[in-house]
Amino acid sequence: MTSAEAAAGAFRTLHGTEPRGVWSAPGRVNLIGEHTDYNDGFVLPFALPHRLAAAGSPRDDKVLTLATLGSDGRIQQADPVRIPDLCPGEPDGWAAYPAGVAWVLREHGIDGGADLVIAGDVPTGAGLSSSAAIECAVALALLGLAGHGDPDRARRAEIARWAQRAENEFVGVPTGVLDQTASLCCVEGHVLFLDVRSGESEQVPFDAEGAGLRVLVIDTRVKHAHGESGYGERRRGTERAAELLGVEALREVTGDGLSSALGTLPAELAPLVRHVVTENDRVVEVARLLREGRMADIGPVLDASHVSMRDDYRISCPELDLAVDSAREAGALGARMTGGGFGGSAIALVRDTDQQAVENAVNAAFEQAGYRKPRLFTAVPSAGAGQDRP
Ligand code: GLA
C-alpha cells in the first residue's frame, strides 16, 4: 500500500467520507553538503522513495483537525485548533509540525480550516527528514484545498522557506532550508545541486544502477538526546565566526582565504569554519564529477566529508563512525554520515557486486559492538512532493 492509500484509508475510517485530495512529500538523503545550508552554501540531496502523505478535506469553520496513522495501525488525534488562534507553543509534539505550517500559511491568506490525516513510511528520528516531509505534504494539502494548483519551481522554493519558518519559529528548531527544498524540489533520477545563497539549482542526473553502483543507507537507529542543542551550538558558532571575519555568511570564505581566516579565529571556532569551507568545495567537486559521469570517483570525497564532520564539526557518534568504517573496510567506495548528525543515518556508495558483503560487514560490526541492529536499504533518487489523487 502506498502512503497516499494509507492516508486516504485512515481518513475514511476517521471521517466516514472520501478525502477531497491526497498530497505527499518524500524524505531525503543528502549525498554531500552538511551544515552548509545555514551558512549560505551548497547542498546536494536527493529524494527518497519513502513518503508522508496528507489526506484532507476543507472545513468552513477555520478549524484544523489533525490525525496520524501510527505504524501499529492506530489513529492518533490531536486536539482540534482554530487557525486564527494558532501561536507557537501550542500544539506541541508531532502536531506542531502541521500546525506550524498552517500558522505560516495563515499569513499568506490561506486560513480556511481542514481535516487532515497523515500517514507514511519515512523513518522517524533517522536523519532522513520525516519532519520536512510532514511539513511539505501539509503545505501542499492546505494550498491545494484552498484551490491553488500544482506549484511551479519558483513557488516550490518559496513554500520550502515557509515550511522552514514553521520549523524554526513554531516548532522551535533552528534548521536550515535543505530538507524542505529537497522534499519539494527533487526530481526522480537526479540529485539537486542547490546554491542556498542565490537559490539557483540544477538537477544533476544520478543513475547509480546504470553505473553498477548503489547508495546504501545505514540507519544506526541512534537518536542522541543532545542532537538538538548540539545543532544549535554549531549553528551559533558559525554565525559568530562569520561575524568575527566580517562576512555575512561563511559561504564568502573560500579555499584561498581559509588559512588566513583560520589564523584569526578563536581555537573553538576555527575547525567549524574549516568544515564549512571545505565541505562547500566538496559539494562543488562531487557535482562536477557527476556531470562528467564519474560517479565512482566521488567515493574519496564522501570519505573526506565524514572525516571533516567527525573531527572538525564533531557531529558524528561511535555508531555512525562504525557504520562508515565497516562499510569502507568491506569495499564501499566511500561513506559518510548524512543529515544533522549525533545519530541517524550514514550512506555508503558500493559496487552492486559488493553490496551483500558490505551489508554483512556492517551488521556483524554492530553485533560485535553490542549496538542495536541497524536498518539497511538502498536508496534511488525519487520524485519530489506532489498531489497523489484528486
Ligand atoms: C538537518 C537540518 C538541515 C541541515 C542538515 C545538516 O537535516 O534540517 O537544514 O542543516 O541538518 O546538513
Side-chain angles (χ1 to χ4, degrees):
M1 190 177 355
T2 65
S3 298
E5 285 160 0
F11 189 99
R12 278 193 299 273
T13 306
L14 193 62
H15 296 290
T17 57
E18 282 295 325
R20 179 73 61 81
V22 185
W23 293 260
S24 69
R28 62 98 189 91
V29 149
N30 193 20
L31 187 61
I32 196 162
E34 231 61 84
H35 292 262
T36 47
D37 61 349
Y38 55 79
N39 288 297
D40 267 3
F42 302 102
V43 292
L44 199 64
F46 67 83
L48 288 171
H50 308 75
R51 299 175 80 84
L52 284 174
S57 287
R59 296 173 61 107
D60 53 17
D61 57 1
K62 295 199 183 281
V63 168
L64 178 67
T65 75
L66 297 166
T68 56
L69 176 68
S71 50
D72 57 1
R74 301 233 306 254
I75 297 174
Q76 192 188 342
Q77 287 176 268
D79 290 337
V81 280
R82 275 179 38 82
I83 289 180
D85 299 341
L86 280 171
C87 66
E90 180 66 37
D92 58 5
W94 68 268
Y97 292 87
V101 170
W103 174 73
V104 173
L105 289 181
R106 187 180 78 183
E107 272 177 27
H108 297 276
I110 292 121
D111 59 359
D115 293 319
L116 296 180
V117 179
I118 297 160
D121 60 0
V122 183
T124 53
L128 301 173
S129 288
S130 60
S131 11
I134 293 197
E135 292 155 12
C136 297
V138 165
L140 291 191
L142 292 175
L143 285 161
L145 292 174
H148 294 261
D150 188 32
D152 63 13
R153 217 192 60 77
R155 178 81 162 155
R156 282 171 181 262
E158 189 180 18
I159 299 169
R161 288 282 178 196
W162 294 351
Q164 181 199 8
R165 236 193 103 209
E167 187 159 326
N168 292 168
E169 293 176 32
F170 198 94
V171 184
V173 190
T175 44
V177 78
L178 160 66
D179 305 341
Q180 295 83 0
T181 311
S183 189
L184 283 158
C185 301
C186 280
V187 166
E188 198 176 346
H190 295 76
V191 289
L192 178 73
F193 178 60
L194 172 70
D195 176 342
V196 176
R197 168 157 283 184
S198 68
E200 273 166 33
S201 65
E202 176 191 345
Q203 303 287 351
V204 183
F206 190 86
D207 175 14
E209 281 190 23
L213 300 170
R214 299 280 185 277
V215 177
L216 181 65
V217 178
I218 306 162
D219 171 10
T220 63
R221 303 171 87 169
V222 176
K223 189 167 163 50
H224 278 210
H226 61 277
E228 268 178 25
S229 58
Y231 185 99
E233 262 168 41
R234 299 303 184 282
R235 182 169 182 160
R236 281 191 300 278
T238 58
E239 284 163 359
R240 175 88 189 109
E243 213 177 290
L244 291 172
L245 294 169
V247 292
E248 206 173 301
L250 292 184
R251 153 65 177 275
E252 286 155 51
V253 183
T254 54
D256 295 343
L258 181 59
S259 53
S260 65
L262 292 180
T264 66
L265 287 169
E268 73 278 11
L269 297 182
L272 299 185
V273 173
R274 187 164 51 222
H275 166 72
V276 172
V277 174
T278 57
E279 184 79 349
N280 274 330
D281 288 347
R282 285 186 287 268
V283 181
V284 173
E285 169 74 356
V286 167
R288 183 182 66 81
L289 290 168
L290 293 179
R291 280 186 214 106
E292 290 172 4
R294 296 168 56 192
M295 194 178 295
D297 292 342
I298 74 173
V301 195
L302 303 183
D303 290 342
S305 171
H306 186 78
V307 169
S308 179
M309 289 188 285
R310 186 191 64 198
D311 299 347
D312 274 347
Y313 222 65
R314 293 185 300 107
I315 51 173
S316 190
C317 65
E319 294 85 351
L320 283 168
D321 291 340
L322 186 64
V324 164
D325 292 344
S326 57
R328 281 217 308 261
E329 274 160 30
L333 301 174
R336 62 185 289 279
M337 53 145 280
T338 185
F342 306 102
S345 300
I347 53 170
L349 183 70
V350 299
R351 284 192 200 86
D352 49 12
T353 46
D354 292 337
Q355 182 179 351
Q356 196 57 55
V358 171
E359 292 189 6
N360 293 346
V362 172
N363 279 322
F366 270 61
E367 196 179 334
Q368 206 190 346
Y371 295 157
R372 231 175 130 191
K373 192 173 163 47
R375 178 170 28 206
L376 306 180
F377 63 91
T378 51
V380 288
S382 303
Q387 182 164 12
D388 295 86
R389 32 187 275 190

